[in-house]
Amino acid sequence: METIILYVDDAVYAREHLAKLAPGVPVALDDESASTVPGTLGVDARAAFEPRHWIVVACAPRMTQRISKWVSHSARENWRGKWFAKMQAQLVPLLEAVGDQVTPMLAGGSLTEMTQHLRQIHGKATVVDARRPKIGVDLEPVAPGQKPPAAPGWALPGAVVGMGALLVIAGELSD
């Protein structure tokens, strides 16, 4: 059985990423969308493949340090638990629908250490980083030597954009 460690922080982005990566995984649970979404084989066609063991590691969004002044530690952990349950409800049934085994986990600590620990437990495993890239934020790598996903689009500093806008306005006023 193939073991895949899947790091996610957004269920919608992860479903889109999985549709490209693992064609047997449906994007939605209803039969109509599973057969019409490009890149998916549908639930019945997937039965010919070897089942997979997905270890879904949910990376909850970080809260700012300033929030600790207003929210207790137990309230933050309660919020992380609710976020994790919502992520499981959106992603785990899609993976189980094709007959794969799913083990959901909530990330805590360093992701590279967590990957090493999971590889020690489960043996050789493929690591998939399906976290949504964010502009201006460098995501922590999930495995030693692995590059995190690149930030999408334009990543220009605000000063450069401001100067460009100022030059455009000055050019319009001089005409």
Side-chain angles (χ1 to χ4, degrees):
M1 179 179 287
E2 180 185 10
T3 303
I4 301 171
I5 303 170
L6 177 67
Y7 286 92
V8 297
D9 62 358
D10 181 15
V12 174
Y13 182 79
R15 284 193 308 239
E16 294 170 0
H17 190 77
L18 285 174
K20 297 174 194 169
L21 180 72
V25 177
V27 177
L29 283 176
D30 58 341
D31 293 333
E32 183 178 322
S33 62
S35 61
T36 59
V37 174
T40 61
L41 297 175
V43 176
D44 295 330
R46 174 73 171 90
F49 296 103
E50 178 184 340
R52 299 175 182 142
H53 178 205
W54 294 90
I55 302 170
V56 179
V57 181
C59 305
R62 293 197 182 266
M63 293 187 179
T64 62
Q65 291 180 347
R66 294 186 186 124
I67 205 165
S68 64
K69 186 167 44 171
W70 306 105
V71 179
S72 68
H73 179 70
S74 62
R76 279 182 279 169
E77 290 302 314
N78 187 23
W79 177 83
R80 283 173 48 92
K82 288 180 182 178
W83 179 88
F84 180 54
K86 182 179 175 185
M87 176 73 72
Q88 281 181 324
Q90 293 176 351
L91 199 56
V92 171
L94 296 174
L95 297 171
E96 289 177 340
V98 293
D100 291 344
Q101 179 184 356
V102 180
T103 305
M105 302 178 71
L106 184 59
S110 170
L111 298 181
T112 54
E113 291 175 7
M114 187 169 216
T115 301
Q116 291 173 344
H117 178 70
L118 289 171
R119 282 185 169 164
Q120 287 175 352
I121 294 171
H122 298 284
K124 185 179 177 184
T126 305
V127 178
V128 177
D129 189 1
R131 296 177 294 164
R132 179 183 295 276
K134 297 163 186 74
I135 295 175
V137 176
D138 292 332
L139 296 175
E140 177 185 358
V142 296
Q146 182 178 3
K147 292 182 180 179
W154 297 57
L156 294 175
V160 174
V161 174
M163 284 297 290
L166 183 63
L167 289 173
V168 169
I169 292 172
E172 291 293 322
L173 293 176
S174 66
D175 288 340

